[in-house]
């Protein structure tokens, strides 16, 4: 009997056409793994539509060739035999296609979130793999794909995004061997570093200043929290996803065990909560009680229909209690 990894590889090898989708508000891993796999499968003669988000997130736009992304139209699915969901722990996070009838398609679920509920016809959940990008790299030899720089570049972005430039606890010897293979294929790591970290938009720097002003240290110094309202983003004409590093910032203070970043998304009537925590605090477990999920060290969830102050009160109460209990 084949294991999950080989079953997914066989399903990818067999298909002739597929729609590739990553989770909503795609980060570097979601974007990079989707683009890397799309290029790899196209190189094997398969018809592939990369969709779910459009346009590409500004930060990752440099990776894309014109026409590589298609609009997530509802009738798109009818033209393909499979749907490949990447880095997406929950079918409801497939933004454009959540709630769609997917029964006519072979759904292939490739993800590394331990809270993934194994939706789909074939699923491989690489719980201990740094990133979905690293999982895609493991699949490529089985698909007969040779690494080209065009495939390797987005996968490099996936790896460095989810490992914090190879600094988080999820970085393994296998991650670095994968990274070495990507470099050997011709990735210009300094060019990518400049694209991702040295092209800050001034309005986003001002938003970061606002985030620093809002930083609060609570629960006897163990909880760092930043809460931003929709009007903070509006004031600087910043995108709601402009400051993903706010949660690391809140977490980076000496003595802080858990970092929390709350942001109000007015148009969706949502408060999104992102969390980072050190051992023994399992942030995925914590998030699951609020309907979210993620990884032990980084996870999140959202509230619907309550205000920012209310959401903040609930998060502070629950986390403070948890921190007092020591777990
Ligand atoms: Mn990921």
């Amino acid at each position: 009997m084949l294991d999950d990894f080989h079953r997914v590889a066989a399903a990818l090898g067999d298909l002739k056409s597929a729609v590739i989708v990553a989770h909503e508000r795609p980060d570097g891993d979601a974007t990079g793994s989707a683009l890397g796999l799309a290029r790899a499968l196209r190189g094997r003669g398969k018809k592939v539509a990369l969709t779910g988000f459009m346009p590409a997130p500004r930060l990752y736009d440099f990776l894309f060739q014109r026409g590589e992304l298609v609009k997530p139209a509802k009738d798109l699915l009818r033209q393909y035999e499979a749907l490949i969901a990447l880095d997406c722990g929950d079918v409801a996070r497939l933004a454009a296609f959540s709630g769609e009838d997917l029964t006519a398609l072979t759904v292939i679920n490739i993800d590394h979130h331990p809270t993934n509920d194994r939706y789909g016809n074939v699923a491989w959940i690489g719980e201990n793999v740094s990133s979905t990008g690293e999982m895609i790299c493991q699949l490529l030899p089985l698909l007969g794909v040779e690494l080209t720089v065009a495939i390797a570049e987005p996968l490099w972005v996936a790896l460095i995004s989810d490992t914090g430039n190879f600094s988080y606890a999820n970085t393994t010897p296998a991650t670095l061997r994968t990274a070495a293979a990507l470099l050997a294929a011709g990735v210009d790591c300094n060019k990518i570093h400049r694209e991702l970290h040295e092209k800050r938009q001034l309005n986003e720097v001002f938003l970061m200043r606002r985030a620093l002003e809002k930083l609060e240290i609570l629960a006897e110094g163990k909880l760092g929290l930043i809460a931003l309202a929709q009007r903070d983003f509006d004031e600087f004409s910043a995108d709601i996803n402009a400051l993903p590093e706010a949660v690391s910032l809140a977490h980076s203070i000496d003595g802080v065990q858990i970092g929390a970043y709350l942001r109000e998304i007015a148009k969706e009537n949502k408060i999104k909560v992102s969390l980072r925590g050190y051992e023994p605090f399992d942030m995925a477990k914590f998030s699951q009680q609020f309907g979210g999920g993620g990884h032990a060290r980084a996870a999140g969830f959202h509230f619907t229909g309550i205000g920012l102050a209310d959401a903040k009160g609930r998060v502070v109460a629950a986390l403070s209690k948890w921190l007092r209990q020591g777990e």
Side-chain angles (χ1 to χ4, degrees):
M1 225 188 66
L2 294 179
D3 58 17
D4 292 343
F5 167 62
H6 288 91
R7 284 177 59 216
V8 162
L12 293 175
D14 288 346
L15 60 83
K16 290 189 178 55
S17 68
V19 174
I20 298 182
V21 194
H23 65 71
E24 59 186 343
R25 287 188 247 290
D27 55 14
D29 186 29
T31 310
S33 60
L35 182 57
L37 181 62
R39 287 178 178 169
L41 293 180
R42 274 195 198 114
R44 300 301 292 158
K46 299 170 195 297
K47 181 177 131 187
V48 174
L50 175 54
T51 187
F53 52 88
M54 191 172 177
R58 186 191 57 77
L59 197 54
Y60 308 114
D61 186 57
F62 73 97
L63 289 170
F64 288 83
Q65 302 287 323
R66 194 195 261 274
E68 272 192 304
L69 274 175
V70 296
K71 278 215 180 78
K74 302 264 176 199
D75 59 353
L76 187 75
L77 296 178
R78 279 200 289 276
Q79 303 161 38
Y80 294 84
E81 65 182 74
L83 181 129
I84 306 171
L86 296 179
D87 201 41
C88 183
D90 173 351
V91 90
R93 290 194 77 206
L94 283 180
F97 302 113
S98 75
E100 280 289 290
D101 180 11
L102 303 175
T103 47
L105 295 139
T106 303
V107 176
I108 303 173
N109 171 1
I110 304 173
D111 182 30
H112 68 133
H113 294 90
T115 49
N116 189 298
D117 61 11
R118 302 188 59 88
Y119 60 87
N121 303 83
V122 207
W124 172 35
I125 314 305
E127 287 193 19
N128 300 312
V129 187
S130 72
S131 52
T132 302
E134 187 180 335
M135 296 173 69
I136 300 301
C137 291
Q138 292 178 21
L139 286 165
L140 296 183
L142 279 77
L143 301 172
V145 174
E146 212 169 305
L147 264 184
T148 60
V149 67
I151 295 171
E153 197 172 57
L155 293 172
W156 175 266
V157 169
L159 260 70
I160 62 171
S161 300
D162 266 22
T163 61
N165 299 307
F166 309 115
S167 68
Y168 298 157
N170 61 1
T171 306
T172 67
T175 311
L176 294 182
R177 279 192 288 272
T178 302
L182 297 175
L183 283 181
V187 167
D188 182 343
C189 64
N190 187 248
K191 183 196 94 174
I192 292 175
H193 174 79
R194 289 201 310 272
E195 289 286 350
L196 295 182
H197 303 295
E198 295 176 359
K199 288 193 175 181
R200 285 192 185 278
Q201 304 297 298
L202 196 54
N203 64 331
E204 294 177 359
V205 177
F206 290 148
L207 182 67
M208 182 183 277
R209 180 173 63 192
R210 173 63 50 85
L212 282 167
E213 285 165 7
K214 294 265 175 113
L215 172 68
E216 294 176 75
I217 303 300
L218 306 160
E220 290 154 6
K222 291 183 180 149
L223 171 61
L225 182 138
I226 292 172
L228 292 179
Q230 180 71 56
R231 63 175 179 279
D232 293 312
F233 293 92
D234 294 347
E235 191 179 326
F236 303 111
S237 306
D239 184 83
I240 201 77
N241 304 309
L243 203 61
E245 62 268 46
V247 63
S248 318
L249 192 68
H251 192 213
S252 67
I253 318 298
D254 190 19
V256 164
Q257 298 295 305
I258 297 175
Y261 172 39
L262 280 69
R263 60 194 142 137
E264 179 185 28
I265 306 175
K267 140 171 134 228
E268 295 169 28
N269 198 20
K270 260 189 204 171
I271 308 293
K272 193 167 163 30
V273 181
S274 306
L275 299 166
R276 294 276 185 282
Y278 294 120
E279 270 185 289
F281 299 102
D282 184 332
M283 306 322 294
K285 223 164 89 187
F286 180 85
S287 298
Q288 275 181 311
Q289 50 177 322
F290 294 97
H295 305 285
R297 307 276 73 83
F301 61 94
H302 64 261
F303 292 108
T304 308
I306 64 170
L308 185 61
D310 197 359
K312 189 175 134 186
R314 291 188 201 191
V315 167
V316 171
L319 286 177
S320 302
K321 188 173 155 211
W322 207 37
L323 281 161
R324 268 198 308 277
Q325 289 163 350
E327 194 199 23

